[in-house]
Amino acid sequence: MDDTTQHRLRIAHRIHDLLLHELGEDMDVSLLLGPPEYARAVLSLCRACGSTELVRLSEQFVQASDAQDRAERHAQLRLPATAAVAPTPPGRRAGA
């Protein structure tokens, strides 16, 4: 697990704990790290609940998620493209 993922996980656990303590709302930490729809709903609740700490944590979670997305896109760009078919050597016909 890389540093960004660990950071997002720590934030998600803190959000979980505060939502449970302050609002009695339980949320699934693994889902917060998964589907964006679930994360948007939880983060919206954080922003609307009136807790300055939850607002701050929701902003940190978004920033960490954006950083992770950028890092994943960058890693994909650095990987060599895999060719479905090997190129035909010069002087040979394809399929021969």
Side-chain angles (χ1 to χ4, degrees), residues 18-38:
L18 283 173
L19 283 175
L20 195 57
H21 180 265
E22 293 189 15
L23 303 176
E25 293 287 332
D26 195 11
M27 51 75 83
D28 189 321
V29 170
S30 62
L31 282 177
L32 183 60
L33 298 171
E37 297 82 15
Y38 188 82

Side-chain angles (χ1 to χ4, degrees), residues 5-19:
T5 302
Q6 288 179 350
H7 183 59
R8 288 178 70 227
L9 185 59
R10 283 191 301 273
I11 295 169
H13 278 289
R14 184 67 180 136
I15 288 172
H16 172 268
D17 294 344
L18 283 173
L19 283 175

Side-chain angles (χ1 to χ4, degrees), residues 44-65:
S44 178
L45 177 62
C46 290
R47 291 182 195 109
C49 76
S51 166
T52 55
E53 186 170 3
L54 280 168
V55 169
R56 181 182 55 77
L57 287 168
S58 69
E59 291 169 357
Q60 288 177 356
F61 187 85
V62 168
Q63 290 171 354
S65 296

Side-chain angles (χ1 to χ4, degrees), residues 70-81:
R70 283 190 305 273
E72 288 172 0
R73 281 193 308 271
H74 184 69
Q76 288 175 348
L77 292 175
R78 290 186 305 171
L79 293 176

